[in-house]
Amino acid sequence: MTQRGRFISLEGGEGAGKSTLLAGLRDHLVARGVTLLQVREPGGTPLGESIRAIVLDPAHSSISAESELLLMFAARAQLVRERIAPALDAGQWVLCDRYVDASYAYQGGGRGQPMERIAELERWACAGLKPDMTLLLDLPVSTGRARAAGRGAADRIETEADAFFERVRETYRARAQNEPQRFRVIDASASPDKVLQAAIAATEHLFEAAA
Ligand code: TMP
């Protein structure tokens, strides 16, 4: 019987260095012989990428918090069924650039949507799929925003005020504290190499569990 793959998600605020870490971690896992599926949220399927374009479009400035939440979960429900679950069943590992913790942090913490409502959506939409490990790149909001400032045009969510991102950060940190066995919090103010080494060290136990 094929052994189920491992499911890793990566979370963090703006400018935390997620993209750099993803590239390094992907190379490391592949070099270790892992067959890897890398996907992002919102997105990762044709439907999800269309939803991403809508939900991040600054032109939709009047989108309601409820619509935003449901769109995130619509993309996620498709991604779980079309890509993540089949890959894990086939023994592949999945590296997901954000997953359900982002909805708790952004739509729950940031927008004030009830956490219990999000939990209900999670139970329904995620088909019981939870990451085996979640890496949280943690960084003070001001540092992250300064890093991100040099990039291209901000998407709709990136235009939010600092207070929004403070709530996002606090929610992520609280979730990490509540689930220490799943989360690994990485200090994202360290150098990219240090961050990568910390992430690599954090993934070691997944190999042991898979052996
Ligand atoms: P990215 O910039 O990391 O690709 O993420 C896209 C944006 O979508 C980012 O601002 C976080 C936001 N987001 C949510 O608000 N809720 C979610 O559930 C997800 C997955 C992302």
Side-chain angles (χ1 to χ4, degrees):
M1 207 181 88
T2 310
Q3 194 180 32
R4 185 181 173 278
R6 303 281 159 215
F7 182 11
I8 304 169
S9 64
L10 181 57
E11 303 280 356
E14 252 196 296
K18 244 174 354 94
S19 307
T20 308
L21 175 59
L22 274 168
L25 189 56
R26 181 189 56 221
D27 289 350
H28 166 76
L29 294 173
V30 169
R32 291 272 318 244
V34 167
T35 307
L36 191 69
L37 171 68
Q38 188 183 329
V39 285
R40 69 173 179 180
E41 277 215 3
T45 64
L47 175 71
E49 290 295 327
S50 296
I51 292 173
R52 180 186 179 93
I54 292 169
V55 80
L56 297 182
D57 184 350
H60 294 309
S61 57
S62 63
I63 191 169
S64 70
E66 289 79 5
S67 304
E68 183 180 277
L69 176 62
L70 289 168
L71 285 167
M72 295 297 177
F73 270 98
R76 182 166 300 130
Q78 191 65 27
L79 180 64
V80 162
R81 286 158 184 78
E82 191 175 322
R83 304 204 66 195
I84 298 180
L88 293 172
D89 287 346
Q92 296 176 13
W93 289 34
V94 175
L95 183 55
C96 201
D97 180 356
R98 298 195 189 280
Y99 188 60
V100 73
D101 296 295
S103 290
Y104 288 96
Y106 283 80
Q107 283 66 54
R111 302 268 188 238
Q113 288 295 293
M115 296 297 181
E116 184 42 46
R117 175 69 43 77
I118 299 172
E120 206 176 305
L121 286 169
E122 178 183 0
R123 283 191 290 276
W124 180 50
C126 295
L129 269 188
K130 240 189 152 73
D132 297 296
M133 189 180 67
T134 298
L135 298 169
L136 172 59
L137 291 182
D138 184 55
L139 190 68
V141 170
S142 54
T143 314
R145 298 208 94 176
R147 280 187 187 174
R151 298 182 191 159
D155 66 38
R156 190 179 57 81
I157 294 175
E158 284 165 354
T159 59
E160 288 297 331
D162 283 0
F164 174 92
F165 291 103
E166 294 289 358
R167 293 194 297 276
V168 168
R169 182 182 187 208
E170 284 321 307
T171 308
Y172 270 135
R173 287 159 62 102
R175 289 182 66 74
Q177 241 182 358
N178 286 340
E179 283 186 76
Q181 70 290 359
R182 174 166 70 90
F183 274 93
R184 297 291 182 278
V185 182
I186 297 177
D187 174 8
S189 62
S191 69
D193 189 53
K194 274 213 165 113
V195 169
L196 175 60
Q197 292 315 316
I200 287 174
T203 58
E204 263 320 292
H205 76 284
L206 296 176
F207 286 96
E208 287 156 22

